[in-house]
Amino acid sequence: MSDTRDNPLDDPTADPFEIAAAAADDIARLTGVEAHDIALTLGSGWGKAADLIGETTATIPATEVAGFSKPALEGHVGTLRSVLTPGGKRVLVIGARTHFYEGHGPRRVVHSVRTAAATGARTMVLTNGAGGIRHTWTPGQPVLISDHINLTGASPLEGATFIDLTDLYSMRLRDAARRIDPSLEEGVYCQFRGPQYETPAEVQMAKAIGGHIVGMSTALEAIAARQAGMEVLGFSLITNLAAGIQTTPLSHQEVLEAGREAEPRISALLAQVLAVL
Ligand code: HPA
């Protein structure tokens, strides 16, 4: 579904960081919260977490905020929420992800992350629903992202912007998550462009180059978060085994159903993890 309304990010002469700063001003005005500590992007299956991490003090439609696009997909809620945790932290919950496969370019994909940084957030928690390559994983299982392979051929960085991605998915934060749930496994996330699911041969390629998880989000956002100086924690919900690993065809419906079933459990886990960040 294309979004034909004007978006300031589509002007190549515009500065995406200025638009992110304007978006942060919109969020402060609309939520009444001057600054946030943590940002959390909710992927398929993770939606209930927002209700569990604390008290929602404001919910705003993302379309009211500079540079945000309409959600392209059922199951992707187009809202931003400000949540106050029992520990007194302010969490910006981003339920409005723009995917690279929508074709609007990396600037729009990472705008929510840059906006989160402009609101003051120093920690970026990225979640998604994804396919698992490891045979031992089962649909409904959450896994930590330990690293990524960016197969989109794109980058949110413009010009000669050399950013170190060692420890992109913070070991410190992964350890914190494992203290909450020692059974959490981890793997390398491969971001494909999509929107088609991978072929079995592409899944075998991902496996051969060191991947364990296949999906269509997160890597570009993580790069932008690191550029903004944020510490990143990534979680995938394994909604299905990847094409050819599972023998039955993949369907978006199946992905949504696995998300819905796992939602209460993984959201509770995420809320517990956020409480210690
Ligand atoms: N591949 C890519 N993206 C996905 C998958 C998958 O198998 N499952 C959920 N999102």
Side-chain angles (χ1 to χ4, degrees), residues 100-101 106 149-156 190-194 215-217 219-220 223:
F100 187 59
Y101 58 66
I149 299 174
N150 173 11
L151 296 174
T152 65
S155 171
C190 295
Q191 181 176 357
F192 282 82
R193 182 195 184 279
M216 307 177 194
S217 66
L220 298 177
I223 295 167

Coordinates of all heavy atoms in Angstrom, one line a residue, residues 100-101 106 149-156 190-194 215-217 219-220 223:
F100 N 11.2 -1.4 5.0 CA 12.0 -1.1 3.8 C 11.3 -1.5 2.6 O 11.3 -0.9 1.5 CB 13.4 -1.7 3.9 CG 14.3 -1.4 2.8 CD1 14.7 0.0 2.6 CD2 14.9 -2.3 2.0 CE1 15.6 0.3 1.6 CE2 15.7 -2.0 1.0 CZ 16.1 -0.7 0.8
Y101 N 10.5 -2.7 2.7 CA 9.8 -3.2 1.5 C 8.7 -2.3 1.0 O 8.2 -2.4 -0.1 CB 9.3 -4.6 1.8 CG 8.3 -4.8 2.9 CD1 7.0 -4.2 2.9 CD2 8.7 -5.5 4.0 CE1 6.2 -4.3 3.9 CE2 7.8 -5.7 5.1 CZ 6.5 -5.1 5.0 OH 5.7 -5.2 6.1
P106 N 15.4 4.3 3.1 CA 15.9 4.1 4.5 C 15.6 5.3 5.4 O 15.4 5.1 6.6 CB 17.4 4.0 4.3 CG 17.7 3.7 2.9 CD 16.5 4.2 2.1
I149 N 23.0 -9.5 9.7 CA 23.6 -9.4 8.4 C 22.6 -8.6 7.5 O 21.4 -9.0 7.4 CB 23.9 -10.8 7.8 CG1 24.9 -11.6 8.6 CG2 24.4 -10.7 6.3 CD1 25.1 -13.0 8.2
N150 N 23.0 -7.5 7.0 CA 22.1 -6.6 6.3 C 22.2 -7.0 4.8 O 23.1 -6.6 4.1 CB 22.6 -5.1 6.5 CG 21.8 -4.1 5.7 OD1 20.8 -4.4 5.1 ND2 22.3 -2.9 5.7
L151 N 21.1 -7.6 4.4 CA 21.1 -8.1 3.0 C 20.2 -7.2 2.1 O 19.8 -7.5 1.0 CB 20.5 -9.5 2.9 CG 21.4 -10.6 3.6 CD1 20.7 -11.9 3.6 CD2 22.7 -10.7 2.9
T152 N 19.9 -6.0 2.6 CA 19.0 -5.1 1.9 C 19.8 -4.3 0.8 O 19.2 -3.8 -0.1 CB 18.3 -4.0 2.8 OG1 19.4 -3.2 3.3 CG2 17.6 -4.7 3.9
G153 N 21.1 -4.3 0.9 CA 21.9 -3.4 0.0 C 21.7 -2.0 0.3 O 22.2 -1.1 -0.5
A154 N 21.0 -1.6 1.3 CA 20.8 -0.2 1.7 C 21.4 0.1 3.0 O 21.8 -0.8 3.8 CB 19.3 0.1 1.7
S155 N 21.5 1.4 3.3 CA 22.0 1.9 4.6 C 21.3 3.2 5.0 O 21.0 4.0 4.1 CB 23.5 2.1 4.5 OG 23.9 2.8 5.7
P156 N 21.0 3.4 6.2 CA 20.5 4.7 6.6 C 21.5 5.8 6.7 O 21.2 7.0 6.8 CB 19.9 4.4 8.0 CG 20.7 3.3 8.6 CD 21.1 2.5 7.4
C190 N 19.1 -11.9 9.8 CA 19.4 -11.5 8.4 C 18.2 -10.7 7.9 O 17.1 -11.2 7.8 CB 19.6 -12.7 7.5 SG 21.0 -13.7 7.8
Q191 N 18.5 -9.4 7.6 CA 17.4 -8.6 7.0 C 17.4 -8.7 5.5 O 18.3 -8.3 4.8 CB 17.5 -7.1 7.4 CG 16.3 -6.3 6.9 CD 16.2 -4.9 7.3 OE1 17.0 -4.4 8.0 NE2 15.2 -4.2 6.7
F192 N 16.3 -9.3 5.0 CA 16.0 -9.3 3.6 C 15.1 -8.1 3.2 O 14.5 -7.6 4.1 CB 15.3 -10.6 3.2 CG 16.2 -11.8 3.1 CD1 16.6 -12.5 4.2 CD2 16.7 -12.3 1.9 CE1 17.4 -13.7 4.2 CE2 17.5 -13.4 1.8 CZ 17.9 -14.1 2.9
R193 N 15.1 -7.8 2.0 CA 14.3 -6.7 1.6 C 12.8 -7.0 1.7 O 12.0 -6.2 2.1 CB 14.6 -6.2 0.2 CG 13.7 -5.0 -0.3 CD 13.7 -4.8 -1.8 NE 13.0 -3.6 -2.1 CZ 11.7 -3.5 -2.3 NH1 10.9 -4.6 -2.0 NH2 11.1 -2.4 -2.6
G194 N 12.4 -8.2 1.3 CA 11.0 -8.6 1.3 C 10.3 -7.8 0.1 O 11.0 -7.2 -0.7
G215 N 14.2 -12.1 8.4 CA 13.2 -11.1 8.6 C 13.3 -9.9 7.7 O 14.2 -9.9 6.8
M216 N 12.4 -9.0 7.8 CA 12.4 -7.8 6.9 C 12.4 -6.5 7.6 O 11.9 -5.5 7.1 CB 11.0 -7.9 6.1 CG 10.8 -9.2 5.4 SD 9.2 -9.3 4.6 CE 9.0 -11.0 4.3
S217 N 13.0 -6.5 8.8 CA 13.1 -5.2 9.5 C 14.4 -5.1 10.3 O 15.4 -5.9 10.1 CB 11.9 -5.0 10.5 OG 12.0 -6.0 11.5
A219 N 17.5 -4.4 11.0 CA 19.0 -4.1 10.8 C 19.2 -2.7 10.5 O 20.1 -2.0 11.1 CB 19.5 -5.0 9.7
L220 N 18.4 -2.1 9.6 CA 18.6 -0.7 9.2 C 18.3 0.2 10.4 O 19.0 1.2 10.7 CB 17.7 -0.3 8.1 CG 18.0 -1.0 6.7 CD1 17.0 -0.6 5.7 CD2 19.4 -0.8 6.2
I223 N 21.3 0.1 12.9 CA 22.4 0.9 12.4 C 22.1 2.4 12.8 O 23.0 3.1 13.3 CB 22.6 0.8 10.9 CG1 23.0 -0.7 10.6 CG2 23.6 1.8 10.4 CD1 23.0 -1.0 9.1

